[in-house]
Amino acid sequence: MEPAAPGAIVTLKDVAAASGVSISTASRALDERTTSRSAAAAHVRKIAEELGYRRNSFASSLRRGETRTLGVLVPRLSDTVMALMFEELERAASSRGYFAMVATSGDDPGDERRAAETLLDRNVDGLILATARLDDELPRLLRERRVAHALVLRTDGVSPSALGDDELGGYLAVRHLLDLGHRDIAVVTGPDFTSTAKGRLAGARKAMKEAGIKLPEAWTIAGGYGIEHGFAAGEKLLGSKKRPTAVFAANDNIALGIIAAAHRHDLQIGPDLSLVGYNDTPLSARLPTPLTSVRVPLDHIAGTAIDLITDSGSEPRVRKSTPTLIPRESTAPPSP
């Protein structure tokens, strides 16, 4: 049988006619969800392949009231963790028969709302929000509109959420420094409006409290999650008369900025200043002094987020994955 001419669209009706069956029979034979093993169905599929038929799964999904597409909202894809998170979400969605579509918001609530509406206009089956603000109204609005959604890497405590246990991660980071013998420890964390920053700081405080040490306010610095914030915080901490012997940075970008500041002050990471990062991004192990970091299982978080949308009745609604401390050469006992 001759395939269709280039540019010609082969319809289901064409396949049915060439196969000698009804359109409904041809449709059932070509439905990937219920692929029949009968000889008649195999014949239809063979004819469809020869003709160059391409099933319009989007139109089929719309007829079933779904598109098998999920919208993902992230602040920016230039952030390594956000890019890695989307890759894992895309992989997890694909393994479950879904397609993930990404949009960015730049941490702006107005842009986030507009991006969400754009994705919903494309009939996505649900939204995954990797945006970070605790004061974000979007999750509440989605709950009120009964839109299937899940938060990743953060939680508002109400909407379905898949994240790492940030408090445990912060605790593991500072406990590691304490076990090495450090007592002068600083914490540089992210913005106050994020659950990640609050959780990691709470874990750090818990470890310090267990050791009977108060975390000095001057050594508790909150701001952005970028390298520039880490550098500014490092300048402030390392340029003072009394400086910490160790720093817990609430993400690896902050840690990179602190490394740059330490270099400017002629301090060697490890021997002169111990440093722990967070997220264990691929660069961490490949730095001149490999960075001790807290690893978060992004693949597990991604799969959990997809499942929270596709199985809306599952419990619990807020699920935390366990982080792991990865010790490397950036941490050592304090110098005498």
Side-chain angles (χ1 to χ4, degrees):
M1 180 171 293
E2 290 294 325
I9 297 176
V10 179
T11 66
L12 185 63
K13 184 178 179 180
D14 296 331
V15 175
S19 305
V21 299
S22 67
I23 293 176
S24 60
T25 299
S27 179
R28 286 194 297 274
L30 297 171
D31 190 338
E32 303 93 336
R33 299 172 303 150
T34 56
T35 303
S36 171
R37 295 174 181 269
S38 71
H43 172 67
V44 172
R45 290 194 290 273
K46 183 173 182 294
I47 295 295
E49 185 178 353
E50 290 174 353
L51 288 174
Y53 172 74
R54 182 180 177 86
R55 184 177 177 83
N56 189 335
S57 19
F58 180 72
S60 302
S61 296
L62 281 177
R63 287 193 293 272
R64 296 193 300 266
E66 60 178 16
T67 61
R68 308 295 291 180
T69 303
L70 299 173
V72 181
L73 270 171
V74 300
R76 59 191 62 82
L77 283 171
S78 57
D79 181 285
T80 303
V81 175
M82 288 295 106
L84 293 171
M85 186 73 254
F86 177 66
E87 285 181 5
E88 294 296 347
L89 286 166
E90 193 175 39
R91 192 173 292 119
S94 178
S95 70
R96 291 158 174 78
Y98 285 82
F99 174 74
M101 181 188 302
V102 70
T104 59
S105 69
D107 267 334
D108 181 274
D111 288 345
E112 180 191 41
R113 189 88 54 85
R114 285 186 286 275
E117 292 296 341
T118 299
L119 290 169
L120 291 173
D121 286 344
R122 282 160 174 72
N123 296 306
V124 295
D125 294 335
L127 288 176
I128 297 174
L129 310 182
T131 44
R133 304 185 69 94
L134 282 171
D135 57 359
D136 185 3
E137 287 290 298
L138 183 57
R140 179 184 62 79
L141 295 173
L142 294 176
R143 292 194 298 270
E144 290 175 355
R145 292 167 59 179
R146 299 185 181 279
V147 174
H149 67 285
L151 313 185
V152 289
L153 297 180
R154 59 111 173 190
T155 182
D156 63 357
V158 184
S159 281
S161 308
L163 66 158
D165 190 332
D166 290 305
E167 184 169 340
L168 176 58
Y171 175 87
L172 291 174
V174 174
R175 183 72 260 173
H176 172 65
L177 294 171
L178 290 165
D179 289 344
L180 287 171
H182 291 278
R183 293 299 178 265
D184 297 326
I185 301 171
V187 177
V188 183
T189 188
D192 290 334
F193 59 73
T194 62
S195 65
T196 51
K198 288 183 178 295
R200 292 167 198 177
L201 179 57
R205 290 189 190 279
K206 180 180 178 182
M208 297 283 279
K209 185 177 180 181
E210 280 184 0
I213 302 168
K214 183 175 174 58
L215 183 61
E217 287 302 317
W219 288 358
T220 309
I221 302 176
Y225 272 129
I227 295 174
E228 67 284 355
H229 169 61
F231 181 77
E235 283 288 290
K236 181 178 179 181
L237 292 169
L238 306 178
S240 58
K241 186 175 293 186
K242 178 174 170 56
R243 62 172 179 82
T245 61
V247 179
F248 164 45
N251 81 346
D252 289 351
N253 277 344
I254 294 174
L256 288 174
I258 292 171
I259 290 171
H263 178 73
R264 186 173 177 181
H265 288 271
D266 295 322
L267 296 172
Q268 192 174 350
I269 295 297
D272 299 325
L273 180 72
S274 282
L275 180 62
V276 180
Y278 205 103
N279 289 318
D280 194 34
T281 51
L283 181 62
S284 301
R286 295 167 177 82
L287 292 169
T289 302
L291 179 67
T292 296
S293 189
V294 177
R295 179 177 296 167
V296 182
L298 296 181
D299 56 344
H300 185 261
I301 291 171
T304 300
I306 304 292
D307 292 341
L308 283 168
I309 289 180
T310 57
D311 184 9
S312 57
S314 60
E315 296 290 341
R317 305 302 284 153
V318 177
R319 303 184 192 176
K320 296 182 179 181
S321 300
T322 303
T324 308
L325 180 83
I326 309 299
R328 298 192 181 98
E329 287 88 334
S330 72
T331 49
S335 301

